[in-house]
Amino acid sequence: MQTANIEILHVSKAYRNGAQALADVSFSVGSGVFGLLGHNGAGKTTLLQALATVLRPTAGTIRVCGFDAQAAGDEVRARIGYLPQELAMYPALSCWDFVAYMASLKGVRGRDAVWRALEQVEMADCAKRRIGQLSGGMRRRIGIAQALLGDPPVLIVDEPTAGLDPEERVRFRGVLSRCAQEGRTVLLSTHIVEDVHQICRKLAVLRRGRLFFAGPAADLLGRVQGRVKTKRLAGEAALAALQREAVVLSTAYESQGLTARFVDEGGAFPQAEPVPATLEDAYVYCMGGKAHA
């Protein structure tokens, strides 16, 4: 049985204004890349901040490598590398100087540690370039480099590929996969289903602060397997009628109407064309379809 490096047990977070960011969330994460999916505002960042001991949950327990995040915060922080959604960088610093600066803050000593972190994210050749000269993807890789300082067994990354072009996203996914192959637990929080599909065997889905699903990606896909179809429609009225009878996943507008991709839950559309289901289909279906996505 795989050891859980991250345990989240009945975690809730409520703010003074009454907002409930998390409500009784429980799941565990072993080694490899684990996906955390959810729309913006679903509670993903709040959960990651609680994991990284940046904020305290209102209720529940978080354990990292067996250490309680509240009772043994120093032990947890020593075992976590964290790339937040927005990492403040100094554009005038070189890549080397920035990572070396972050190393000094973390108490990691030695030039070798900085070089090793840059090499792990394929940025050693850019060590002398200023942060302000880097592309978005290269800055994200420098962000991963600082998270890898000290060789933490757990890596937490929050929306790392948002805004990147496809080539940069592919490269970044490769970096995360290599980190996992080295034996780490990588928790990837994102709303981009393709990133999870490519590198995560297991995932959790948050919806409005509550855990909607946790388990193998194949199990989530199984919820729509064999039931996804496409149908040509004459216009918006036909689309509205279809939405009353089925969960519409997406629509593609054309010169002569539109084509809808939907889940035929009860077999009410035998004439519609069956198509292979994707993880994104399953995710949109679980989130309530196109009208709620």
Side-chain angles (χ1 to χ4, degrees), residues 60-73:
T61 301
I62 295 174
R63 286 196 286 264
V64 176
C65 299
F67 293 96
D68 187 290
Q70 294 187 55

Side-chain angles (χ1 to χ4, degrees), residues 32 51 96 142 147 186 200 211-212 219 221 223 241 291:
L51 266 168
W96 166 273
I142 291 296
V186 180
C200 302
L211 182 69
F212 186 84
D219 288 357
L221 182 59
R223 298 192 176 196

Side-chain angles (χ1 to χ4, degrees), residues 241-265:
L242 178 61
Q243 287 176 324
R244 288 193 290 270
E245 298 183 65
V247 176
V248 176
L249 304 170
S250 63
T251 53
Y253 287 82
E254 303 153 355
S255 58
Q256 301 297 321
L258 58 94
T259 298
R261 187 181 183 96
F262 67 100
V263 177
D264 187 2
E265 296 177 281

Side-chain angles (χ1 to χ4, degrees), residues 114-166:
V114 176
W115 277 120
R116 186 164 60 251
L118 290 171
E119 287 169 351
Q120 285 178 290
V121 298
E122 302 176 4
M123 289 294 290
D125 291 344
C126 301
K128 294 183 179 180
R129 289 185 62 178
R130 295 181 185 275
I131 296 291
Q133 298 173 330
L134 303 180
S135 67
M138 295 170 84
R139 284 195 296 272
R140 301 288 171 85
R141 280 187 274 151
I142 291 296
I144 287 290
Q146 64 81 30
L148 291 173
L149 290 165
D151 198 27
V154 175
L155 187 62
I156 299 172
V157 289
D158 192 1
E159 297 284 358
T161 64
L164 301 187
D165 62 40

